[in-house]
Amino acid sequence: MFGVFAFLYKSKLNQLEINQTAILQENNLTQQKNNLTTELDQVKKINQELQTEKKNLTEQIESMKKTWNEQNVSRAQWSLDEYCRKDRNRQCNSCQKDWLQSQSSCYVVNDAEPKNQKTWEEARETCREKSSDLAVVGNEVEKTFLKEKSWVNSNINGYWIGLGAEGGRWKWIDGSDLTNQAWIQQQNATDGQCVTSLQNREWTSVSCTERNAWICEKKALTV
């Protein structure tokens, strides 16, 4: 009799343990479900934020494209007006108004008064604002042209060109070396020195921080 009671008690205990395990498993599943639901809600929220951000970026890009296109049209019109006369029979020139052509380049001589003269770096930046750079000389013809246009003025000591000392060598702003040392009075290149041109003399090396006039160069337009 005692054996039967013990068996029934043990069976009941096992059933309780099974039920308890099932309850724990169900609770775990419920918790996992709740966690997944929370994660899903977070993913949905992030996705919505990303969609909103994508929409905003798309609108910004479209706005930038529109502005860019308008600017390109404006630049194209400006270039056309700069190179081509505004009349019924519009005629275009290789260089803009006030620019001088020699071979395949256009030059503008900035014979500024002392108060408006610039250091070598400042002069170069001014040229860049005009889609050009300080003049680079590649041959005797160009050198002669540049020298003739370096007009003498009592207020001007020289015109900056795109030549300066770098690492003990004379270098052009395009990275090439000065090949004809006879073109410059001071043949020893000292860092911090840049070169000026002036009529009736060879090129002269002075401190790049001095203020001078300057000459810009850009490629001529093919018309």
Side-chain angles (χ1 to χ4, degrees):
M1 185 70 177
F2 178 77
V4 172
F5 178 77
F7 174 78
L8 293 173
Y9 175 78
K10 187 175 181 181
S11 297
K12 187 67 173 179
L13 184 62
N14 288 338
Q15 186 63 43
L16 287 173
E17 289 177 348
I18 292 172
N19 291 342
Q20 185 179 19
T21 300
I23 291 172
L24 289 174
Q25 289 177 343
E26 183 178 358
N27 288 340
N28 287 335
L29 289 173
T30 300
Q31 184 62 43
Q32 291 177 13
K33 179 181 178 181
N34 291 337
N35 291 341
L36 289 173
T37 301
T38 301
E39 291 178 5
L40 180 61
D41 290 340
Q42 291 175 344
V43 169
K44 288 180 178 179
K45 181 180 179 182
I46 293 172
N47 183 61
Q48 184 61 43
E49 291 174 349
L50 289 173
Q51 290 295 328
T52 301
E53 185 175 354
K54 178 184 177 181
K55 180 181 177 182
N56 292 336
L57 288 173
T58 300
E59 291 175 352
Q60 291 178 23
I61 290 171
E62 290 302 319
S63 177
M64 290 172 66
K65 284 181 179 179
K66 181 180 178 181
T67 302
W68 179 256
N69 290 335
E70 290 174 350
Q71 289 177 345
N72 282 344
V73 171
S74 178
R75 288 192 188 99
Q77 184 61 49
W78 175 84
S79 296
L80 181 63
D81 293 341
E82 284 291 306
Y83 286 94
C84 307
R85 294 186 308 186
K86 299 179 184 178
D87 55 26
R88 181 176 299 176
N89 300 314
R90 189 184 282 263
Q91 295 182 349
C92 298
N93 301 310
S94 298
C95 296
Q96 296 166 253
K97 182 181 178 182
D98 299 326
W99 287 68
L100 307 171
Q101 184 175 4
S102 176
Q103 301 181 91
S104 61
S105 292
C106 301
Y107 304 83
V108 65
V109 181
N110 298 276
D111 51 346
E113 293 298 313
K115 65 178 182 179
N116 295 321
Q117 291 175 6
K118 300 182 182 296
T119 66
W120 189 85
E121 285 290 350
E122 291 171 344
R124 188 177 186 194
E125 182 59 32
T126 300
C127 290
R128 285 170 169 170
E129 291 172 358
K130 299 178 180 178
S131 301
S132 60
D133 213 329
L134 289 173
V136 173
V137 178
N139 53 56
E140 287 285 353
V141 173
E142 191 173 11
K143 179 179 182 295
T144 299
F145 173 84
L146 208 65
K147 186 175 181 180
E148 290 174 350
K149 303 307 176 185
S150 302
W151 304 312
V152 173
N153 184 311
S154 59
N155 295 320
I156 294 176
N157 295 321
Y159 295 78
W160 291 125
I161 58 175
L163 183 64
E166 182 180 333
R169 303 167 70 177
W170 291 115
K171 279 189 169 292
W172 294 104
I173 52 177
D174 64 5
S176 61
D177 291 328
L178 174 66
T179 55
N180 193 336
Q181 299 295 321
W183 286 357
I184 186 169
Q185 291 180 357
Q186 299 93 336
Q187 295 185 10
N188 292 326
T190 303
D191 287 7
Q193 297 289 103
C194 295
V195 176
T196 60
S197 173
L198 193 66
Q199 280 182 349
N200 305 321
R201 77 169 192 206
E202 293 302 327
W203 293 340
T204 301
S205 164
V206 297
S207 171
C208 300
T209 59
E210 286 191 14
R211 294 186 173 276
N212 287 295
W214 65 98
I215 300 176
C216 301
E217 176 185 3
K218 66 168 65 174
K219 288 296 182 183
L221 181 69
T222 301
V223 295

